[in-house]
């Protein structure tokens, strides 16, 4: 792997390119409040981040990513439109002892612009593609927004759709839920026993109420479980179409054609498909060879959960390496962190240490 000096030199080169593209350099604290990240991602983030405690500020995390603090900074009073770039180290736990580093440099570029989100998507991707072109990387794209609209268009309970949307970034859990809601697998045994007890009028417990949930909240949850059990399964045709979408992988023009065909039975994805077509046109106008650009409908489903639209990544020849660069659109995140205010936003990050490895031909 590249030494820190080589990684830093590459990071400085990329930062200069981002500044030349109109971005303002910003900083972010290394120690970030854990509460914000836990609210966004749930307890799963603990498995990937280094957690510590501050006697005054409470639970903190070593910075796992720059996007959240940059969004917070912008929503607190940034001008519009805005372009930011940043350089610094991030910290991620590794599950196994490998050559992958737990501490590495990250360089990023973020665009906050409500005028033309599709054009902003194309701007970020085209800039990254140009900077990384000498490395001959494979680029992959996707669109979480298409998947989300497909789920929202299902003919089923809103609670079921909300559960599927919540787990869209956890493919295994998503599939389990879809199988259950589609009637292809039974409810978990503890839930089945609970529902049977409710149906028989049996008293569930006489234990005192000591948890954080109120009695009304518990009653509402039980009523929702009963409603779900009584609802008909999602039609097999809808499940099959959603699985077809999840498995879609092709060059972008062919993928767009397939999506256009799917809108006849899945009208909910029509607007997102229109945005994809407009994005491909914008990318082509910026010199990106879209005929050779891979599109994978499930791309981005195992990365951080703030992406809700266009997503992309650039990969080296070694499949064991993490992406050299990745990014996407995260409009909903700005609303969550903006306390009611929001703005369309898209960005991406590059790992300069990996770029240095591939540039110098160092073993990875």
């Amino acid at each position: 792997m590249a030494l820190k000096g080589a990684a830093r030199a590459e990071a400085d080169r990329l930062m200069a390119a981002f500044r030349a593209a109109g971005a303002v350099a910003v900083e972010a604290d290394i120690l970030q409040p854990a509460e914000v990240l836990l609210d966004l991602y749930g307890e799963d983030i603990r498995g990937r981040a280094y957690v510590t405690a501050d006697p005054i500020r409470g639970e903190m995390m070593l910075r796992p990513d720059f996007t959240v603090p940059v969004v917070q900074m912008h929503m607190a009073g940034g001008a519009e439109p805005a372009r930011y770039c940043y350089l610094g180290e991030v910290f991620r736990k590794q599950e196994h002892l490998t050559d992958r580093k737990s501490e590495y440099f990250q360089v990023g570029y973020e665009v906050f612009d409500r005028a033309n989100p599709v054009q902003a998507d194309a701007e970020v991707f085209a800039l990254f593609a140009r900077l990384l072109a000498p490395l001959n990387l494979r680029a992959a794209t996707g669109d979480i927004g298409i998947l989300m609209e497909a789920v929202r268009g299902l003919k089923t309970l809103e609670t079921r759709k909300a559960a599927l949307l919540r787990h869209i970034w956890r493919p295994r859990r998503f599939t389990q839920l879809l199988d259950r809601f589609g009637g292809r697998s039974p409810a978990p045994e503890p839930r089945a026993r609970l529902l049977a007890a409710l149906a028989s009028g049996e008293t569930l417990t006489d234990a005192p109420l000591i948890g954080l949930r109120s009695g009304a909240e518990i009653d509402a949850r039980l009523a929702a479980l009963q409603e779900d059990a009584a609802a008909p399964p999602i039609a097999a045709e809808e499940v099959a179409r959603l699985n077809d979408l999840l498995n879609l992988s092709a060059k972008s023009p062919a993928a767009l054609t397939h999506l256009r065909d799917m809108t006849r039975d899945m009208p909910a994805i029509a607007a997102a498909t229109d945005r994809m077509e407009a994005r491909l046109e914008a990318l082509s106008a910026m010199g990106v060879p879209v005929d050779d650009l891979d599109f994978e409908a499930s791309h981005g489903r195992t990365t951080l959960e703030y992406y809700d639209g266009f997503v992309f990544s650039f990969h080296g020849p070694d499949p064991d390496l993490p992406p050299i660069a990745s990014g996407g659109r995260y409009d909903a995140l700005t609303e969550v962190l903006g306390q009611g205010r929001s703005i369309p936003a898209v960005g991406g990050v590059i790992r300069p240490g990996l770029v240095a490895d591939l540039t110098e031909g160092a073993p990875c």
Side-chain angles (χ1 to χ4, degrees):
M1 301 294 288
L3 297 176
K4 269 195 172 182
R8 181 59 192 245
E10 183 60 38
D12 289 338
R13 183 187 72 84
L14 293 167
M15 280 289 285
F18 289 159
R19 287 194 187 94
V24 175
V26 294
E27 299 281 349
D29 291 341
I30 291 177
L31 277 176
Q32 293 289 320
E35 182 180 6
V36 175
L37 294 166
L38 289 169
D39 285 346
L40 284 170
Y41 311 126
E43 289 295 324
D44 288 356
I45 191 67
R46 289 186 187 275
R48 292 171 282 171
Y50 290 94
V51 183
T52 186
D54 182 276
I56 297 175
R57 301 172 67 189
E59 196 171 39
M60 306 291 288
M61 287 185 181
L62 290 180
R63 182 174 61 206
D65 187 74
F66 272 90
T67 303
V68 169
V70 170
V71 171
Q72 288 178 306
M73 177 207 68
H74 178 80
M75 300 310 293
E80 295 183 17
R83 283 160 176 75
Y84 302 111
C85 60
Y86 47 81
L87 182 166
E89 288 177 297
V90 295
F91 307 85
R92 302 276 184 89
K93 289 181 183 176
Q94 302 300 323
E95 295 181 356
H96 308 287
L97 185 61
T98 68
D99 288 336
R100 291 194 180 190
K101 293 185 176 181
S102 298
E103 172 186 349
Y104 55 89
F105 282 111
Q106 189 178 80
V107 180
Y109 181 82
E110 313 286 340
V111 177
F112 296 78
D113 192 344
R114 65 180 77 250
N116 191 334
V118 166
Q119 191 74 13
D121 287 347
E123 173 192 332
V124 174
F125 182 89
L127 175 59
F128 277 43
R130 178 174 60 81
L131 292 174
L132 299 172
L135 302 180
N136 296 314
L137 304 177
R138 183 185 76 85
T141 64
D143 195 326
I144 299 295
I146 294 176
L147 299 183
M148 297 176 81
E149 292 305 323
V151 170
R152 293 187 181 109
L154 293 171
K155 297 179 179 64
T156 190
L157 297 175
E158 291 300 319
T159 51
R160 288 179 172 178
K161 290 189 277 189
L164 289 169
L165 287 170
R166 187 166 59 251
H167 292 287
I168 206 164
W169 293 274
R170 302 176 181 89
R172 183 177 178 182
R173 178 61 175 155
F174 182 94
T175 299
Q176 291 173 339
L177 286 174
L178 187 60
D179 285 345
R180 190 205 308 165
F181 297 155
R184 294 188 293 183
S185 64
E189 185 178 342
R191 178 176 295 192
R193 291 199 304 268
L194 174 62
L195 290 168
L198 288 170
S200 67
E202 178 184 337
T203 300
L204 299 180
T205 180
D206 56 4
L209 188 66
I210 58 174
L212 295 178
R213 289 183 177 178
S214 68
E217 289 174 322
I218 294 172
D219 290 340
R221 176 58 179 160
L222 293 175
L225 292 178
Q226 290 177 301
E227 181 187 30
D228 179 77
I234 300 174
E237 295 82 0
E238 282 197 291
V239 173
R241 285 193 290 266
L242 185 54
N243 281 323
D244 181 30
L245 175 59
L246 290 167
N247 293 322
L248 174 59
S249 179
K251 297 300 181 184
S252 290
L256 178 62
T257 298
H258 189 72
L259 289 168
R260 283 286 179 219
D261 290 341
M262 295 186 74
T263 59
R264 292 196 292 266
D265 296 314
M266 302 176 73
I269 69 171
T273 302
D274 289 342
R275 289 194 294 272
M276 176 181 170
E277 182 174 19
R279 184 167 57 244
L280 289 175
E281 291 173 355
L283 286 168
S284 181
M286 294 179 184
V288 175
V290 296
D291 288 349
D292 297 324
L293 184 60
D294 289 335
F295 179 87
E296 302 162 5
S298 287
H299 191 64
R301 291 182 66 204
T302 57
T303 55
L304 289 177
E305 298 176 14
Y306 47 68
Y307 294 129
D308 56 6
F310 174 57
V311 286
F312 65 87
S313 58
F314 290 84
H315 301 265
D318 185 348
D320 292 330
L321 280 179
I324 312 303
S326 61
R329 175 158 292 281
Y330 50 89
D331 295 351
L333 181 62
T334 70
E335 184 174 1
V336 171
L337 297 178
Q339 299 179 337
R341 296 172 55 245
S342 63
I343 179 174
V346 61
V349 296
I350 299 176
R351 294 180 63 154
L354 294 180
V355 174
D357 283 336
L358 295 174
T359 300
E360 299 169 5
C364 297

